[in-house]
Amino acid sequence: MSPFKLVAAGVTDVGRIRDGNEDDFLDQANRRGLVAVADGMGGHRAGEVASATALEALRAGVASGQQLPNAIEGANDAVLEKSESDQELRGMGTTLTAGMLGADGQLLVGHVGDSRAYLFRDAELTQITDDHSLVEEMVRGGELTPEQAEVHPQRSIITRALGIDPQVDVDVYPIELQPGDRILFCSDGLTTMVRQDEMAGILAREHDPKRAAQLLVDAANAAGGEDNVTAVIVEPVEVPEDEVAEPVVPDHDTSEIPPLKPRRRRGRAFLRVLVWVLPILAVLAIAFLAVGWYARNTYYVGVNRGRVTVFQGVKGGLLVWNPTIERRTTINPDELTEAQREDVKDGKKFSSRSGADGYVTRLRQGIEQRTPATTVPAPPETTATSPAPPPS
């Protein structure tokens, strides 16, 4: 069981320009916790339906026991199905940035679109998620500066959303929580209106999460309120030790029980130990299985033998699970942009094989756009399931 529980509070507002609010959020504060921000698109009614549909499907998926990435993929299915069933809703979609507390104390953040999650720690605000927007991808590729992106005419175009395609790539970010942390989930109605240092100042000054969320929304409206604006603030709270492990030992009245023989006394002591130990062993077994599931259902794109390679597993290995090579491409890292080289050097993570393969395809397309056509055939790619070499 996690040593933390989540306290969350959110505020949403229509802003100063829009007629309706296409933003929506969840702030379920409980032991596991589920928080999310969705920013709908497709017109007034369609946008509202898209964000509400995604959040309800997400909540239901998590409640049924699904892992966060799978629940987000289910939300994509729900939005797409509703869009296709109603002519007035055709083409609607939504961003979704969500967080859920894991049994290991990590906050797992799942992300699609250009809503954001930030970590506020030691008076510094750090962006957790990468925007799936045209201008942000151009910034990461070195084609625009952050300042140019802020005024670019295509800054509102997003490259990934729920409800657009049958398959969606979900970015996943595990966050090791510490006492005193704050995590901010917000729509772009906040980040396009309020500078990051100003957001950090509000989070530092106001300790009540509900009041801090309201002040962030107020700041966006004071700056013009050009879009719907939503802020959800999450705080991990340490759980007392007696709540983390709650073994139950029955109370017995021993006043009329005659003295036990030594052998029987040892048996009673053994039973008491079992009452304490078995729940702990069960928790450890569940955690071990969960880690194994995560390790074998995670993919990353890295470098092996001088070529961009798709791995299954977690970079560097996790407990007894080491990454394996799934596909070694013909792409030389030297052909990539500097930002892309850094991504593959660090091991770009994905929650599915299709997500990793799609990323490789985009890398190859970028190389082709930057490189004149050639008639020299490339050597065939290889597919393997052999263990990856240990990290150097």
Side-chain angles (χ1 to χ4, degrees), residues 52 74 79 91 185 188 204 206 227 234 245 263 271 274 325 334 387:
V79 176
F185 293 81
D188 67 337
E206 180 53 60
D227 197 355
V234 183
R263 185 175 180 180
L271 289 177
L274 282 181
I325 295 174
D334 292 339

Side-chain angles (χ1 to χ4, degrees), residues 17-95:
I17 305 297
R18 302 293 181 89
D19 294 327
N21 193 350
E22 299 174 53
D23 283 5
D24 206 347
F25 70 91
L26 289 175
D27 61 353
Q28 298 180 355
N30 51 40
R31 178 57 60 83
R32 291 299 302 277
L34 177 63
V35 295
V37 168
D39 182 357
M41 58 188 180
H44 174 43
R45 174 173 174 259
E48 292 182 3
V49 172
S51 57
T53 300
L55 292 181
E56 174 55 29
L58 173 71
R59 185 203 60 76
V62 169
S64 69
Q66 292 182 2
Q67 298 294 321
L68 183 61
N70 302 107
I72 294 176
E73 291 172 356
N76 179 67
D77 295 339
V79 176
L80 185 61
E81 181 179 351
K82 187 173 286 289
S83 172
E84 293 175 343
S85 67
D86 188 334
Q87 185 64 36
E88 294 183 2
L89 302 177
R90 291 290 173 89
M92 74 176 183
T94 183
T95 70

